[in-house]
């Protein structure tokens, strides 16, 4: 009788232990299943901390955001070797954002602008086609977003950033020669603003970012004439600038300062 009693107690303990282990395993699988896509080896501790947070920003830790990072200015060259001119063209930047922990993130992006064309003129039976300057502009963007405070559906951020831009254009004139225009610039600065998540309508993965800041930029324009006959001529112009990220036009706040991101 005593032996049967001991067997019954042991069986009951074994079933209880199995039930507790199964429940713990289910909770672990459920918690892990709620985490979005992250980088390889992407900070499981940070993801666990995100689950304990009470804001949309906390839920994005360890996840990758893809989207539009705003428009950045690519330096361009114009004029001639005797009087080179420096201007800027807007290039939209598309890239990634990854939050390493609640405070520290990483932005990387690339933007480009490419134009080409031709002009056709007909005088009587004679048709003349002239190629317009072919233009290519590239910009590489990097930033380190810092989330200083977050609550519910927004986080307040300061984003130190850097941009490196390059452009080239070529104008060919039949029977005369070729003119090359090149621009290069480096921009350093920081923006302060907010990232607002759409958790209030059930889409916390979608976010808009807006802010304003200061920047320092140095840029160079180079114009080179390569005639079919004669010597090559080159002219250069350099410029440095310190200013705000809104360039005096009211709509600039919606182009260069607004970004959109979706976290996976």
């Amino acid at each position: 009788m005593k032996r049967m009693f001991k067997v019954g107690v042991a069986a009951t303990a074994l079933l209880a232990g199995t039930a507790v282990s199964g429940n713990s395993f289910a909770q672990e699988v459920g918690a892990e299943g709620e985490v979005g896509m992250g980088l390889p080896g992407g900070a499981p501790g940070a993801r666990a901390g995100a689950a304990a947070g009470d804001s949309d920003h906390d839920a994005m830790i360890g996840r990758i955001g893809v989207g539009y990072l705003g428009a950045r200015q690519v330096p361009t060259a114009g004029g001639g070797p005797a009087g080179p001119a420096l201007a800027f063209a807007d290039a939209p930047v598309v890239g990634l954002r990854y939050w390493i922990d609640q405070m520290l993130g990483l932005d990387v992006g690339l933007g480009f602008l490419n134009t080409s064309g031709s002009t056709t003129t007909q005088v009587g039976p004679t048709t003349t086609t002239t190629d317009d300057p072919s233009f290519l502009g590239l910009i590489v963007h990097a930033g380190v977003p810092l989330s200083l405070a977050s609550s519910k559906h927004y986080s307040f951020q300061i984003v130190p950033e850097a941009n490196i831009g390059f452009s080239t254009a070529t104008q060919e004139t039949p029977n005369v020669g070729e003119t090359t225009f090149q621009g290069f610039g480096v921009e350093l600065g920081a923006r302060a603003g907010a990232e607002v998540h759409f958790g209030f309508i059930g889409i916390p993965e979608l976010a808009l970012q807006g802010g304003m800041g200061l920047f320092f930029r140095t840029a160079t324009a180079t114009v080179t004439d390569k005639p079919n006959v004669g010597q090559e001529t080159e002219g250069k112009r350099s410029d440095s600038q310190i200013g705000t990220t809104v360039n005096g036009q009211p709509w600039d706040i919606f182009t260069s300062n607004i970004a959109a991101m979706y976290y996976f």
Side-chain angles (χ1 to χ4, degrees), residues 9-219:
V9 170
T12 302
L14 179 61
L15 290 174
T18 303
V20 171
S21 299
N23 186 41
S24 300
F25 178 76
Q27 290 177 354
E28 290 175 4
V29 172
E32 188 68 23
E34 294 175 357
V35 177
M37 182 180 70
L39 294 177
R47 296 177 186 172
D54 60 353
S55 69
D56 292 342
H57 170 73
D58 294 331
M60 299 304 113
I61 298 171
R63 303 175 71 167
I64 297 176
V66 180
Y68 169 65
L69 295 179
R72 301 296 189 273
Q73 292 191 319
V74 178
T76 65
L86 179 64
F88 296 90
D90 287 338
V93 175
V94 177
L96 307 175
R97 169 168 287 188
Y98 179 74
W99 286 104
I100 300 171
D101 55 32
Q102 286 185 324
M103 180 180 179
L104 180 63
L106 177 65
D107 288 346
V108 291
L110 177 68
F112 74 93
L113 182 65
N114 186 21
T115 62
S116 61
S118 62
T119 302
T120 302
T121 305
Q122 184 170 357
V123 179
T126 304
T127 301
T128 303
T129 300
T130 304
D131 290 334
D132 295 336
S134 59
F135 174 84
L136 174 64
L138 295 172
I139 190 162
V140 178
H141 169 79
V144 183
L146 304 173
S147 177
L148 303 184
S150 63
S151 176
K152 297 296 184 182
H153 308 301
Y154 84 95
S155 69
F156 173 72
Q157 301 173 5
I158 292 179
V159 186
E161 61 182 18
N163 301 292
I164 299 177
F166 170 81
S167 69
T168 181
T170 302
Q171 173 70 66
E172 294 185 5
T173 305
N175 303 319
V176 175
E178 178 183 278
T179 303
T180 302
F181 307 88
Q182 291 183 325
F184 178 79
V186 177
E187 180 179 294
L188 302 174
R191 298 170 187 251
E195 183 174 22
V196 179
H197 294 263
F198 282 65
F200 52 88
I201 58 173
I203 316 175
E205 297 84 1
L206 179 62
L208 289 180
Q209 304 152 23
M212 299 174 62
L214 296 172
F215 71 90
F216 167 77
R217 178 171 59 208
T218 178

Side-chain angles (χ1 to χ4, degrees), residues 2-3 51 64-65 75 112 119 167 231 256 264:
K2 291 180 178 180
R3 181 177 297 176
I64 297 176
F112 74 93
T119 302
S167 69
Q231 294 184 340
S256 63
F264 291 90

